[in-house]
Amino acid sequence: MSGKLQNKTAVITGAAKGIGFETARLFGKEGAKVTIMDIDEQSAIEAAKKLCDEGIEAYAFQLDVTNAESVEKTFQKAIANYSGVLNILVNNAGIADFGTVENTSLDVWNRIMAVNLNGTFFCSKAAIPSMKEHGGSIVNFGSVAGVVGIPGMAAYCAAKAAVVGLTKQMAADYSAQGIRTNCVCPGTIASTALGQQLLGSDTSEETQKKRLAKYPIGRFGEPVEIAEAVLFLASDQASFVSGAAFNVDGGMTAI
Ligand code: NAI
Ligand code: 1HS
């Protein structure tokens, strides 16, 4: 049986855990070779091993996406490992923190920008040369927080909105050169570390109720529901889709 990503090569950042890991697993099930890049080396190795045990060709590289020099070197190694051909990049690595403009420190602001926005910029910069030669697809990670304002998440909302903007800009520059760029904007995925951090940021019954009430579908999402959307955008099924910000949010941004 031939999968939707048969023989494609993919790099997924922040894929040791959470949504990134489920994306790597789904890509692998669809026939892709997957490279997990994550700041957490041990977890990245374990994640790749788990996928190999499931019959997927998976590799692990330690990488902090905020370090431009390491990004360049690590992508060179990963792309060489794919004999020079990288088809898909998923810029999934991301972190969240909380605060209004008044109570967000410059350190927190810079860190949120560094991982969510600069990381996407650095990794794309490292992947594009191979993709220009062979064609490619980049999927960035926005959030509903990049589409609407979320109380108490100034830096995160700004970073994710910038990722949505960068996605459209990259589509404008590179679509004619065979590289489609899109982003997913997930609503809350409660089961991941980041989802738990979000729900734990204010555990009052009132806030929890208000949060869930924002989701017309009546629940939060699962990692695999985001992975399915990333798979579509990354695959040839989305051959005419470039510059899209795809809300995968149970209707959260529709109301
Ligand atoms: P997670 O916290 O479960 O996983 C994030 C992964 O990124 C971890 O393995 C972590 O080690 C890695 N990472 C963190 N900083 C890194 C760095 N500097 N370099 C390389 N790797 C790094 O998070 P989750 O929930 O899987 O989120 C994935 C993406 O989805 C993020 O971009 C997040 O902003 C976005 N998102 C998540 C939502 C949620 O509710 N969980 C909702 C909307 C968007
Ligand atoms: C943290 C992740 O990107 C989701 S922000 C959505 C927060 S809320 O709508 O569930 O309050």
Side-chain angles (χ1 to χ4, degrees):
M1 204 183 79
S2 177
K4 289 176 186 150
L5 300 180
Q6 204 61 42
N7 299 323
K8 298 278 189 192
T9 57
V11 167
I12 301 139
T13 67
K17 296 188 194 129
I19 300 169
F21 177 71
E22 283 309 324
T23 302
R25 173 184 262 160
L26 186 59
F27 277 21
K29 280 190 195 163
E30 291 292 341
K33 296 169 191 168
V34 294
T35 294
I36 289 168
M37 292 189 187
D38 203 287
I39 196 167
D40 178 348
E41 183 170 29
Q42 199 48 42
S43 298
I45 292 168
E46 282 165 21
K49 190 172 175 311
K50 210 170 183 178
L51 295 185
C52 288
D53 289 346
E54 294 177 15
I56 292 165
E57 189 172 330
Y59 305 93
F61 287 84
Q62 194 279 338
L63 176 67
D64 177 352
V65 297
T66 69
N67 183 327
E69 208 177 306
S70 299
V71 168
E72 194 50 48
K73 285 187 184 148
T74 308
F75 271 75
Q76 270 174 18
K77 280 190 225 159
I79 294 171
N81 185 47
Y82 285 149
S83 305
V85 183
L86 175 63
N87 302 122
I88 299 164
L89 167 65
V90 181
N91 282 309
N92 162 80
I95 58 166
D97 211 332
F98 307 95
T100 61
V101 163
E102 284 170 290
N103 57 27
T104 295
S105 68
L106 183 58
D107 277 355
V108 165
W109 177 270
N110 286 342
R111 184 73 195 146
I112 292 292
M113 289 296 165
V115 180
N116 294 288
L117 180 59
N118 298 4
T120 298
F121 167 58
F122 296 150
C123 294
S124 301
K125 205 178 183 52
I128 284 169
S130 167
M131 291 186 169
K132 273 167 94 171
E133 282 182 40
H134 309 282
S137 172
I138 298 176
V139 183
N140 294 330
F141 264 70
S143 162
V144 290
V147 181
V148 296
I150 307 291
M153 294 188 89
Y156 186 76
C157 283
K160 291 301 191 183
V163 168
V164 173
L166 180 62
T167 299
K168 294 178 185 185
Q169 195 289 327
M170 286 165 62
D173 270 345
Y174 295 108
S175 296
Q177 298 175 62
I179 307 172
R180 294 182 300 101
T181 307
N182 293 288
C183 74
V184 280
C185 295
T188 293
I189 307 302
S191 61
T192 70
L194 194 150
Q196 288 295 302
Q197 184 195 0
L198 174 74
L199 298 184
S201 65
D202 183 345
T203 54
S204 70
E205 205 178 315
E206 195 198 344
T207 306
Q208 301 285 3
K209 261 190 169 168
K210 262 196 201 161
R211 230 185 253 295
L212 192 57
K214 293 204 259 181
Y215 289 79
I217 210 163
R219 64 175 177 83
F220 298 129
E222 296 296 332
V224 73
E225 294 179 300
I226 306 306
E228 289 284 2
V230 178
L231 169 64
F232 169 70
L233 293 172
S235 76
D236 292 340
Q237 284 185 304
S239 52
F240 196 52
V241 186
S242 198
F246 187 3
N247 300 336
V248 188
D249 64 0
M252 190 271 200
T253 50
I255 59 173

